[in-house]
Amino acid sequence: MTLVFNQIYFLFIVFCIIVIYMLKLMLEKYSYFLYPILFAILGGCIYGPSLVDSKPLWDDNHFLFESTRFLQASSFIEFFAQGKSTARSWPLTYSFLWGIYHFFSANYFVYKLINLFFHILNAFLVFKLLGQVNRGFSLILALIFLVHPGQVESVSWIFQLSTLASTTFLLLTIYYCSKLLKAHSNNKYLTLSGAFFLISLLFKVTAILLPIFILFYLYTYKSFLLKKKHVVLWLVLLFSLSAWRGSLTMGGAVNTPIEKRSSHHYLVFDKMHQATLSHSFLSQTKKNSITNKYDGRSLIQKAAAKIHLVLSSFGHYLTNLYSSENLFFYAKTETLSLVNTFQGILFLGVTLFIILFKKFKLFHILSSFILFLCLYIPISGIFYIPYMKYSFVADHWFYAPLIGLLMMVSILMNKIDKTVYIKSLKVLFLFSILNFSYSSFNYSQLFSSPVDLLTHNIKHNPKQSFLYILVSEFYYKKSDYVSGIKILESWPDKEHIDILNMKLFGYLKLANYEFASKTLFKLAEKAFVAKNNDLVESYFKLLMKVNPKSRYVNMILDRFY
């Protein structure tokens, strides 16, 4: 899109925001119908570019559009069948996407449109929840949730329907729990909140620690409800559901075939039906997991490492809240920095000071802080998440925890609502919304082209080898092996095991047997250093099949046998 078009489009977004605010003042009594429409218009304007010429991203193909288990499932029931190969940790996500696929096939626009619908619905639910705390700031904070650049990834990545839908039912659970408190244990609200909680967990375990927040809230504000047997049974049910889905998710995270592989290039070989190489070298590739990284240390050292990871990761997310410069679909590798850790410690210290200092009279902020912790801890690094072998952070992980932070801000704004600073703060927030809208609009354009998105990430994050592999994979699928190899050659460490395997595949497709032989020799050399004789043998056999007269045959025989 041209610069002129971007400017015109941004002016239209500004116009939409002004209209929303003006209509809020003029048509307050019609807000029930007005706000969803205006949220939809604004969300469509900002995230529209990612829907244009939509393409699947990263593991959308692996888990969905190129997965035989997903495509050939005879019924959505198969995703719930524990003990079978078709079972999934997030069965409702797969069932929902399976249903969409059978109606719309690989029409990617429809999938992303549904994601956008859930995001707009979530923004409206955030608006309704914050309105119970602070009506004056609920619209502004809900708009921040709607337009923040950190949300682009969740909306534009098809498989993140899991995050969006899970958050929708998480918000509905909280909403009906708040109704429950006002109605003094109405059975209808108990049933609805329990049902929505289960649905949320079946989409994704985002809400797995939510029962802790609910228990705290009941104990703090409506403790008499805990004396009622049916409320206690309801809480026991919530905790049981969390334990059940958590155990199944953890089992899926470590037992699925993809998690037994530590390098992305093996997925590439599988998808292209080129599994000619042994997979026994996988164990030699170190995972980027905090658990593996600190295996040789004491329990105290491991605990310190976990705390460092939690604080530093939060510092990263906190930076992204006010600056979009670090927003990348594939996060930078330098997440664990002292600056990020300091920001995490500072936030924690200020929050605890506000909670404990009685002069502020803001004990109510403790409940929203507990909500934030319950949503943040599962993705903080305390627990292993499969993606962590690539990066400790991902923008879509912070989608739900942002709600807890906005709740905290809403309570703070309620405290200063009658001061002279309130108008200045509203103006500041409105300017932030405009800035976020423009950043989100520009960022979302990258998601309509996987190659542009990957190239953007490589430019700012040249140390991630699998970015180069993904770009080369894109070219390989188009049979443009020369461009794929050229991308791999630009990676600083040309001897990286993943890069060598991908280059080998390209050379074989181009019938460039001399370069393929040289690459096989380098791979055999790495396998020999790793004392993996079986893999050396596999590479040698492949070399004999590809180019038996190559000089590298004798070199392998002389050096490794």
Side-chain angles (χ1 to χ4, degrees):
M1 296 185 183
T2 64
L3 179 62
V4 175
F5 179 79
N6 284 358
Q7 292 172 342
I8 294 173
Y9 205 95
F10 178 63
L11 289 174
F12 181 69
I13 293 173
V14 173
F15 173 76
C16 288
I17 293 174
I18 294 172
V19 168
I20 288 175
Y21 193 73
M22 294 300 294
L23 289 177
K24 173 184 180 296
L25 300 176
M26 297 166 57
L27 303 172
E28 188 68 34
K29 62 180 180 179
Y30 301 109
S31 62
Y32 188 80
F33 302 99
L34 177 66
Y35 289 136
I37 296 172
L38 295 177
F39 276 39
I41 293 172
L42 186 57
C45 291
I46 291 171
Y47 298 102
S50 69
L51 275 64
V52 178
D53 193 25
S54 297
K55 298 288 192 307
L57 296 170
W58 198 27
D59 54 7
D60 284 342
N61 283 325
H62 179 77
F63 288 115
L64 303 175
F65 304 114
E66 295 179 4
S67 169
T68 53
R69 290 179 180 176
F70 174 79
L71 298 177
Q72 295 177 5
S74 58
S75 168
F76 69 90
I77 300 297
E78 293 186 20
F79 302 121
F80 290 84
Q82 295 300 320
K84 294 186 177 181
S85 60
T86 54
R88 292 292 180 268
S89 300
W90 307 333
L92 205 51
T93 295
Y94 282 93
S95 299
F96 194 89
L97 290 168
W98 180 85
I100 298 172
Y101 183 84
H102 278 72
F103 278 101
F104 299 101
S105 188
N107 186 343
Y108 307 125
F109 173 82
V110 174
Y111 294 87
K112 293 192 177 183
L113 187 63
I114 291 172
N115 277 14
L116 178 58
F117 166 78
F118 272 107
H119 179 55
I120 292 169
L121 177 59
N122 289 342
F124 180 69
L125 291 173
V126 168
F127 167 67
K128 296 292 289 184
L129 280 174
L130 295 180
Q132 298 179 6
V133 178
N134 185 343
R135 294 194 65 186
F137 262 86
S138 60
L139 178 61
I140 291 175
L141 295 177
L143 286 176
I144 289 176
F145 181 84
L146 176 68
V147 306
H148 195 278
Q151 313 292 50
V152 174
E153 181 177 304
S154 299
V155 175
S156 304
W157 186 357
I158 292 172
F159 195 65
Q160 287 315 309
L161 170 76
S162 57
T163 298
L164 297 165
S166 176
T167 303
T168 299
F169 290 98
L170 179 153
L171 288 166
L172 287 170
T173 302
I174 297 174
Y175 180 76
Y176 280 101
C177 280
S178 66
K179 292 276 188 181
L180 168 68
L181 297 181
K182 294 177 182 178
H184 303 307
S185 76
N186 186 304
N187 288 334
K188 179 179 74 172
Y189 296 137
L190 283 172
T191 304
L192 284 172
S193 58
F196 288 138
F197 178 66
L198 174 59
I199 294 171
S200 177
L201 292 178
L202 290 173
F203 269 108
K204 192 176 183 179
V205 290
T206 306
I208 191 168
L209 298 183
L210 190 63
I212 297 174
F213 164 73
I214 295 173
L215 176 61
F216 172 83
Y217 201 82
L218 287 174
Y219 178 79
T220 305
Y221 301 106
K222 299 287 181 178
S223 58
F224 68 91
L225 289 176
L226 296 176
K227 298 178 181 179
K228 298 185 177 183
K229 289 185 179 179
H230 62 290
V231 175
V232 174
L233 289 174
W234 173 73
L235 282 169
V236 171
L237 175 63
L238 295 187
F239 277 98
S240 300
L241 289 173
S242 287
W244 171 51
R245 294 313 307 174
S247 63
L248 291 177
T249 300
M250 289 302 295
V254 296
N255 293 328
T256 56
I258 188 174
E259 280 311 302
K260 291 179 181 178
R261 303 169 182 174
S262 55
S263 301
H264 187 85
H265 68 276
Y266 290 100
L267 308 185
V268 177
F269 276 108
D270 284 352
K271 284 187 283 188
M272 296 182 175
H273 309 290
Q274 294 291 329
T276 54
L277 305 181
S278 170
H279 288 172
S280 58
F281 190 74
L282 291 165
S283 59
Q284 306 301 328
T285 306
K286 293 182 179 179
K287 290 184 179 180
N288 190 21
S289 166
I290 199 74
T291 305
N292 294 339
K293 189 175 181 181
Y294 293 95
D295 269 349
R297 302 194 178 188
S298 67
L299 186 62
I300 295 176
Q301 288 173 321
K302 287 182 180 180
K306 288 279 188 179
I307 294 171
H308 176 209
L309 174 60
V310 170
L311 292 173
S312 189
S313 296
F314 177 68
H316 168 85
Y317 293 122
L318 198 62
T319 301
N320 288 349
L321 286 180
Y322 56 80
S323 172
S324 58
E325 293 181 1
N326 291 320
L327 286 170
F328 300 105
F329 185 62
Y330 303 95
K332 287 188 174 182
T333 51
E334 301 87 355
T335 304
L336 302 179
S337 68
L338 289 176
V339 174
N340 286 340
T341 304
F342 175 75
Q343 287 191 94
I345 294 172
L346 183 63
F347 169 82
L348 183 63
V350 170
T351 303
L352 292 176
F353 178 73
I354 291 174
I355 292 170
L356 299 174
F357 197 50
K358 295 182 179 179
K359 186 177 179 180
F360 284 104
K361 297 180 180 179
L362 278 174
F363 180 76
H364 292 296
I365 204 172
L366 179 59
S367 59
S368 58
F369 181 60
I370 297 295
L371 174 62
F372 164 74
L373 289 179
C374 289
L375 298 178
Y376 174 66
I377 286 175
I379 56 94
S380 64
I382 290 180
F383 305 106
Y384 172 69
I385 296 174
Y387 182 80
M388 282 184 176
K389 62 177 169 286
Y390 300 118
S391 173
F392 291 122
V393 294
D395 294 336
H396 67 274
W397 289 347
F398 205 67
Y399 186 87
L402 180 58
I403 298 168
L405 277 186
L406 292 175
M407 190 73 75
M408 293 173 66
V409 173
S410 181
I411 293 173
L412 283 172
M413 294 302 104
N414 199 36
K415 175 67 176 178
I416 61 174
D417 196 21
K418 297 179 182 180
T419 67
V420 294
Y421 304 107
I422 196 66
K423 290 185 178 180
S424 299
L425 282 171
K426 285 187 176 181
V427 171
L428 178 63
F429 275 110
L430 285 172
F431 271 109
S432 298
I433 290 170
L434 291 174
N435 180 50
F436 291 153
S437 300
Y438 186 63
S439 297
S440 294
F441 171 72
N442 287 326
Y443 189 34
S444 64
Q445 292 182 58
L446 291 172
F447 283 81
S448 64
S449 171
V451 171
D452 289 345
L453 180 64
L454 289 164
T455 304
H456 169 76
N457 278 263
I458 286 174
K459 180 181 178 182
H460 296 278
N461 189 13
K463 295 183 179 180
Q464 287 279 26
S465 62
F466 69 90
L467 293 177
Y468 297 80
I469 292 168
L470 289 172
V471 177
S472 65
E473 178 189 353
F474 177 83
Y475 285 118
Y476 281 7
K477 286 184 177 180
K478 291 189 172 185
S479 299
D480 187 358
Y481 301 106
V482 174
S483 297
I485 292 172
K486 186 177 180 181
I487 289 292
L488 295 170
E489 287 288 345
S490 64
W491 164 244
D493 182 8
K494 294 181 176 59
E495 305 298 311
H496 193 283
I497 180 70
D498 296 350
I499 300 298
L500 288 174
N501 270 298
M502 283 298 293
K503 285 164 66 177
L504 172 62
F505 180 82
Y507 291 140
L508 291 174
K509 282 293 185 179
L510 290 171
N512 189 335
Y513 298 125
E514 181 61 26
F515 280 93
S517 301
K518 182 179 180 180
T519 306
L520 279 167
F521 173 76
K522 290 180 179 179
L523 288 167
E525 191 173 39
K526 287 183 175 292
F528 181 76
V529 171
K531 298 180 180 180
N532 193 327
N533 295 326
D534 291 337
L535 192 54
V536 173
E537 182 71 22
S538 297
Y539 287 132
F540 179 71
K541 287 180 179 179
L542 183 57
L543 177 58
M544 290 295 293
K545 183 178 180 181
V546 170
N547 191 5
K549 296 182 180 180
S550 170
R551 60 192 175 95
Y552 293 103
V553 172
N554 291 329
M555 291 176 67
I556 289 179
L557 289 172
D558 293 341
R559 187 172 299 186
F560 307 135
Y561 287 93

